[in-house]
Amino acid sequence: MDSIIVTGNGPLKGQIPIAGAKNACLTLMPATLLSEEPLTLTNAPRLSDIATMTQLLQSLGAEVTSMQDGQVLAMSSHDLDNHVADYDIVRKMRASILVLGPMLARDGHAVVSLPGGCAIGARPVDLHLKAFEAMGAELELKDGYVHAKAPGGLKGGEVVFPFVSVGATENALMAATLAKGTTVLKNAAREPEIVDLAQCLRKMGAEIEGEGTETITVQGVDRLRGATHPVVTDRIELGTYMLAPAICGGEVECLGGRIDLVGAFCEKLDAAGISVEETANGLKVGCKNGRVRAVDVTTEPFPGFPTDLQAQMMALMCTADGTSVLEEKIFENRFMHAPELIRMGADIDVHGGTATVKGVERLKGAPVMATDLRASVSLILAGLAAEGETVVNRVYHLDRGYERVEEKLGNVGARIERVSGS
Ligand code: EPZ
């Protein structure tokens, strides 16, 4: 297992290119199953999760060709010869459940392994399944698999989500495009990744209104055609790298960054004393003056503060001036970075879904363990500001969501290197 060694090295300076969004790509890729014609994605990120989704789609009989160093994915699912998404692949990545809606909508049947939980929580898929039932599907859970059938095809229906779910909204939206009649998704997720998916589906011939609001209306069509679509910028990678100069000083321009993708996050940066300036090429971030101020954060569905930036913000608050309270409202166990930050000298008190962080002058480098994707990168950020050397182990978590992190940070002056493990 590889490790990454970070040594506190003072202010950063330069430009970091922001890639296409992992969480958009992971729902855009299954959309190829909705059409027999080719779907090509550009600006795709080079990540292990994308390789896992590629493997899953190929196991179903789709063709996926990665070109231009992984930034272009040419896909075609003209001949789907397998409608079973196997546990061995699904257990590696929860987003695998997103092949269920498209297969069910296109061919009227699908068998997908339940994903199982993960480090940050149980993460059930009951909202996905209820949405398909509202569209007339018959579902049976057997031996850890969901057996879904819609013999006469899905029918338009009203889906009311009891609480916001990004994945359930994406699965239902994809299924609704081929359902007979009109489907209304209420209390739908509003994330930019949903908007990106809707825009791609519309290029394929889908009739969708309301994406980005809490009510999405879909008029089913008989078939969808192929398309070419650029993956939207990754707002979580963007927010992560915006925190790099915030945590160790300097000024970094995040190329491709868009302020509309990180509104609530930027409000918190402003309150903490971090400057964010829109430039012709992206967003330029720097420390206005001296020590960062402590701010409180509560995670919410978009357009609120993203749960996927909570760990990274906690790393910043560890050396802020004052005490900050971080409330994690989306997942039940998303503070596993806290004990690792405490090993670096942070003063953090976790009770249930609330973490209280008292800022300390400086963190000290230490060997730490990555536990999940965003926790991993929060430890890298903390290492940038810490005195001495931080060794982050199990960085396979990191490679799921961050392409070439040591290259991107190294190019702006960080002392960071990857050490290949056994
Ligand atoms: C997506 O996960 C993202 N993953 C997550 O990013 C992100 O943290 C999350 O949305 C919230 O924004 C991808 O897009 C691939 P949810 P998803 O359904 O769709 C519960 C990262 O780091 N729930 O919005 O799985 C669920 O347990 C990852 O890139 C149910 O109870 O999230 C959670 O507590 C981590 N039943 C809450 O809802 C369901 O059927 C929100 O989950 C579905 C969800």
Side-chain angles (χ1 to χ4, degrees), residues 169-187:
T169 301
E170 290 163 345
N171 232 338
L173 173 57
M174 289 190 283
T177 58
L178 294 177
K180 292 179 180 59
T182 304
T183 299
V184 181
L185 306 181
K186 291 194 171 173
N187 200 19

Side-chain angles (χ1 to χ4, degrees), residues 78-329:
H78 188 270
D79 310 304
L80 281 192
D81 52 16
N82 172 30
H83 288 74
V84 180
D86 199 72
Y87 174 64
D88 273 348
I89 299 180
V90 175
R91 70 182 171 80
K92 279 196 287 186
M93 186 184 64
R94 287 182 41 78
S96 306
I97 192 75
L98 293 173
V99 300
L100 179 50
M103 276 201 287
L104 184 57
R106 172 185 155 160
D107 291 339
H109 62 99
V111 179
V112 177
S113 165
L114 284 168
C118 75
I120 62 178
R123 297 183 74 185
V125 290
D126 51 324
L127 270 65
H128 299 240
L129 305 184
K130 285 195 185 88
F132 299 136
E133 284 176 332
M135 289 188 232
E138 295 149 25
L139 302 175
E140 189 192 353
L141 300 189
K142 208 164 62 179
D143 309 327
Y145 283 75
V146 178
H147 294 253
K149 288 191 180 66
L154 292 174
K155 293 187 295 294
E158 181 172 272
V159 180
V160 183
F161 292 111
F163 50 83
V164 170
S165 162
V166 170
T169 301
E170 290 163 345
N171 232 338
L173 173 57
M174 289 190 283
T177 58
L178 294 177
K180 292 179 180 59
T182 304
T183 299
V184 181
L185 306 181
K186 291 194 171 173
N187 200 19
R190 300 169 54 190
E191 273 68 4
E193 293 76 35
I194 310 265
V195 172
D196 201 36
L197 172 64
Q199 288 170 348
C200 177
L201 293 169
R202 194 174 288 119
K203 283 181 190 170
M204 296 168 73
E207 292 177 23
I208 300 168
E209 281 174 18
E211 71 274 11
T213 75
E214 59 188 24
T215 303
I216 302 176
T217 304
V218 185
Q219 187 62 41
V221 295
D222 293 337
R223 60 189 296 282
L224 292 179
R225 53 181 181 269
T228 296
H229 182 76
V231 178
V232 68
T233 302
D234 192 323
R235 61 194 170 97
I236 306 303
E237 188 193 28
L238 170 61
T240 302
Y241 287 126
M242 289 172 76
L243 285 171
I247 209 163
C248 63
E251 187 176 76
V252 168
E253 185 177 25
C254 296
L255 303 179
R258 285 174 25 199
I259 201 91
D260 64 307
L261 297 173
V262 282
F265 175 70
C266 285
E267 282 170 23
K268 290 297 177 184
L269 291 189
D270 183 53
I274 310 294
S275 70
V276 178
E277 178 201 341
E278 288 186 85
T279 68
N281 304 310
L283 298 178
K284 189 178 281 186
V285 185
C287 250
K288 279 180 206 160
N289 40 26
R291 204 167 167 200
V292 164
R293 289 190 292 272
V295 293
D296 295 343
V297 167
T298 299
T299 63
E300 295 173 308
F302 195 88
F305 190 100
T307 175
D308 293 347
L309 285 172
Q310 176 262 108
Q312 300 90 314
M313 193 68 180
M314 185 184 287
L316 177 66
M317 291 296 103
C318 288
T319 53
D321 182 9
T323 297
S324 68
V325 175
L326 294 100
E327 280 194 285
E328 174 53 61
K329 295 275 194 189

